[in-house]
Amino acid sequence: MMAAVRRRPAQAWERVLSVMAPVGAAGGGRAMAVPLRGMRARPYPRRKPLRLRPDGAPLGWRAAMKRAPATAGPYQAPALPHPARLLVVAAYALLAAAVGIDLASDPRLTFSPLLGTAPVLASIGTRRARVPLLTGVVALFLVAPLTLADPEVPVTVHLTAAFTVLALTCISTANVVLVSTRERELLRSRSVATAAQQALLRPVPERVGGLRVAVRYLAAAADAQVGGDLYEVLTTPFGVRLLIGDVRGKGLGAVETAADVLGTFREAAQVETDLGAVARRLDATVRRRGVGEEFVTAALLTVPPDGGAVELVNCGHLPPLVRRDGRVIPVGTAGGADDATDPPLALRELAEGSYRSATFAFARGDLLLLYTDGVTEARDAAGRFYPLERRLAALPEGAPGTVVDRLVADLLTYVGGELSDDAALLAVRRE
């Protein structure tokens, strides 16, 4: 049974790549040949702290999201919060004070049983087993001078203290080994999902079909599960077709669903004239998976080559934003005049009728922004959501890549350096 459990991540990885390989050619890209057997996931590298300029502003999203290179050695524990560090330091100070009082006070009184707390304190915030082990050995040796300093205390009390130190040392060391092993396994599983996700989300060209395009993908904090955010930009006989979506759920299952959705979109977008027909095929793809209550929110757009209005089919996703003349306008919002909101993929059968589409003007110089909920649901220290529309409107004009770089830097500053969920931004400007 354990062997079957160990094979499951590899099977999921093979399923993702089996979907990707044929759709690479269908979507205009190159088919990939990837070795499926014998692959080993590398531990997920820790993130460097957010680097700031002297004025407190981040150095940019590239510097903020840059990862530290993987290093050999045991897994490093995340830093303790400042209040926790203060409590640990205070506990060490109290323990040292107790030992000093014991050596200088009444020989009929001993604090030697308190030495059992030393390995427990040492195990806090470390993933190195030798730290509580060596601390326990030192504490065990300290029992001897306390025994000599308190001759009127029964020897059984000191023996009990020594065995207590020994037992707590073994427990603390075992706990550090167990926690570090489990965390390494979680990071290894996440690294497989992250590699699959990065292979799925192919690089987007800067210029395509008279449009300038920029994409930024922000990975969540290292201790969060990988998300199912997805995007695609394709040149088709009907114009440039865009997709952005978000799979409900996390981990390898979400990446598998994203692979299926992207594979279907890359094929259907090239042959289906009606954008609603593309959405129906995506809906059928997710429904055929039949994985619990899984669904996908998605926004599909067609930008015609003749400079006409953009067509939008919104499957329960956040509304696209258009910035024009310093104002930001959400399009296709529920209840509005241009309402194009349908149920998420896999839930279309719950509503009557076919997919609705909306059109909106997209003139030369306008900026179209597609995004996932990792952006709008990001919170600051006070728990307030990131005000995307207001922040986007306040940014200076620039190329799509410049605008999203500034937006990402502002977002990371707002949340304090790390996101709790993956986030994707796709910016398009008509030239």
Side-chain angles (χ1 to χ4, degrees):
M1 180 176 178
M2 290 302 294
V5 171
R6 285 194 294 269
R7 286 196 298 268
R8 288 174 64 186
Q11 292 169 354
W13 173 247
E14 293 175 13
R15 172 172 170 74
V16 171
L17 293 177
S18 67
V19 174
M20 290 162 45
V23 302
R30 295 177 297 175
M32 297 192 310
V34 181
L36 300 180
R37 299 294 181 184
M39 295 186 66
R40 299 186 64 184
R42 295 180 180 177
Y44 194 78
R46 291 186 65 206
R47 196 186 308 275
K48 283 184 177 180
L50 182 65
R51 297 167 58 194
L52 302 177
R53 295 196 300 261
D55 60 358
L59 289 175
W61 75 277
R62 290 182 179 86
M65 299 306 294
K66 187 176 181 182
R67 307 254 182 199
T71 56
Y75 168 71
Q76 299 294 320
L80 287 175
H82 184 65
R85 287 201 301 270
L86 291 179
L87 290 175
V88 172
V89 171
Y92 274 120
L94 289 175
L95 180 59
V99 172
I101 293 173
D102 193 340
L103 293 173
S105 65
D106 190 343
R108 295 172 297 179
L109 180 66
T110 184
F111 290 101
S112 59
L114 291 180
L115 292 173
T117 62
V120 178
L121 291 173
S123 67
I124 298 175
T126 185
R127 296 298 179 266
R128 300 174 185 270
R130 64 174 176 266
V131 174
L133 183 61
L134 294 177
T135 304
V137 171
V138 172
L140 193 61
F141 277 110
L142 283 176
V143 173
L146 293 182
T147 302
L148 297 176
D150 304 316
E152 299 184 23
V153 175
V155 176
T156 53
V157 174
H158 295 295
L159 288 176
T160 302
F163 280 108
T164 301
V165 171
L166 185 60
L168 291 177
T169 299
C170 295
I171 293 172
S172 300
T173 304
N175 183 65
V176 169
V177 172
L178 178 63
V179 171
S180 61
T181 301
R182 289 184 175 178
E183 288 183 349
R184 271 195 297 267
E185 290 175 353
L186 288 174
L187 291 177
R188 194 174 296 119
S189 176
R190 179 181 170 90
S191 70
V192 173
T194 301
Q197 187 180 51
Q198 291 173 350
L200 283 172
L201 303 176
R202 303 182 306 195
V204 173
E206 185 179 354
R207 283 181 170 84
V208 53
L211 305 174
R212 291 194 68 178
V213 183
V215 173
R216 300 292 182 264
Y217 190 94
L218 287 77
D223 57 350
Q225 283 190 300
V226 68
D229 293 12
L230 56 100
Y231 58 82
E232 185 58 284
V233 178
L234 296 176
T235 301
T236 74
F238 319 104
V240 177
R241 282 186 162 168
L242 313 173
L243 167 69
I244 192 161
D246 191 1
V247 180
R248 178 184 181 272
K250 304 287 184 183
L252 280 173
V255 176
E256 286 187 52
T257 302
D260 289 341
V261 171
L262 285 170
T264 302
F265 177 77
R266 288 166 181 164
E267 191 275 330
Q270 299 287 348
V271 299
E272 297 288 355
T273 306
D274 181 21
L275 193 59
V278 179
R280 283 194 297 273
R281 292 182 60 172
L282 297 180
D283 179 80
T285 295
V286 182
R287 275 193 290 110
R288 279 196 300 269
R289 284 182 54 81
V291 182
E293 299 179 352
E294 185 177 71
F295 62 83
V296 181
T297 66
L300 294 76
L301 300 93
T302 299
V303 183
D306 58 2
V310 176
E311 181 184 10
L312 165 68
V313 173
N314 192 333
C315 304
H317 199 72
L318 299 165
L321 302 177
V322 175
R323 192 173 81 164
R324 179 183 302 129
D325 300 327
R327 294 191 309 120
V328 175
I329 307 168
V331 295
T333 53
D338 58 349
D339 184 3
T341 304
D342 281 291
L345 301 177
L347 303 179
R348 184 67 190 84
E349 60 186 5
L350 301 179
E352 298 179 355
S354 58
Y355 279 101
R356 297 170 293 173
S357 65
T359 58
F360 60 91
F362 186 44
R364 187 174 182 179
D366 290 352
L367 180 75
L368 172 65
L369 182 67
L370 310 177
Y371 53 96
T372 59
D373 59 7
V375 178
T376 54
E377 294 182 1
R379 299 172 184 251
D380 63 5
R384 295 169 297 197
F385 291 111
Y386 182 70
L388 176 59
E389 292 184 32
R390 189 168 72 247
R391 296 299 181 104
L392 178 60
L395 292 177
E397 294 291 336
T402 303
V403 172
V404 291
D405 282 349
R406 290 169 176 163
L407 193 61
V408 168
D410 181 66
L411 173 63
L412 294 175
T413 302
Y414 187 85
V415 301
E418 281 191 335
L419 298 176
S420 59
D421 190 11
D422 290 6
L425 298 106
L426 172 59
V428 181
R429 168 162 288 163
R430 175 167 271 161
E431 294 185 323

